Amino acid sequence: EIYQQLNQIAGQFAGENVELNQLRALAQTGALINSSLDIDTVLNEVMDTVISLTGAERGYIVLRDEQTGEMQFRIARNLDRETITKGSFIVSRTIVEEVARTGEPVVTTNAQSDPRFSGQESVMIHALRSILCVPLVVRGTITGVVYADNRIRDGLFGDQELSLLLTFANQAAIAIENARLFKHVLSTLAEVTETKELIDNIFASIASGVITTDI
């Protein structure tokens, strides 16, 4: 009986230690992604952090296009922090689209036997098992989706991983949006600068009696 109690206590400490390490990683990486305004850097950091926090084999981000409103692939990464091409990353589009539409996260311990997904061709053919998918939300608007999976291990994602990823996704969504806005500002500034230079050239030409413009 004492041996069982000691094992129980040891297991509890081990679980708390894992959770503590995850929370530390969450705090550190949250600060890291918010330190950059380069959109590609932020996306890479977000995806690498998701894989690190959850133990996923690979991850995938889609963002809503500002012009069309459609969800578009942006980046996929694996556990070695390598970028994966869109064509080689098979995911359940149904799950991603469902999360993007409803804003409700999806977690499954074994997609092969989960009645919600076992009928999906992508899940069965590509042996997708543990799946975790959460929305990116900014000011009440769904701006994207983060998807993570593991094709080997069952039961990888539970309530703790879901809660952790939802917390991180709230930070990540803001960091991604800030980077997108910054890119937009830089683009606008470049256009304004170009226009100003054109106007300056026109006025300079008027002063000399000749107007010159580019194409």
Side-chain angles (χ1 to χ4, degrees), residues 29 32-34 36-53 58-63 73-85 136 146 168 172 175-176 179:
T29 52
L32 181 61
I33 64 170
N34 281 290
S36 176
L37 286 173
D38 177 73
I39 184 64
D40 292 328
T41 299
V42 171
L43 289 173
N44 285 336
E45 290 291 347
V46 167
M47 206 64 264
D48 290 343
T49 301
V50 167
I51 292 172
S52 174
L53 288 175
R58 56 198 190 145
Y60 173 95
I61 290 179
V62 296
L63 295 178
F73 167 86
R74 283 307 305 266
I75 193 168
R77 303 272 280 183
N78 63 21
L79 52 81
D80 293 321
R81 297 196 169 201
E82 297 171 336
T83 299
I84 308 171
T85 61
L136 294 167
V146 177
F168 176 71
I176 292 170

Side-chain angles (χ1 to χ4, degrees), residues 124-143:
M124 300 307 293
I125 292 179
H126 299 285
L128 302 180
R129 296 188 181 278
S130 295
I131 295 175
L132 184 56
C133 191
V134 303
L136 294 167
V137 182
V138 177
R139 294 185 295 275
T141 300
I142 301 170
T143 59

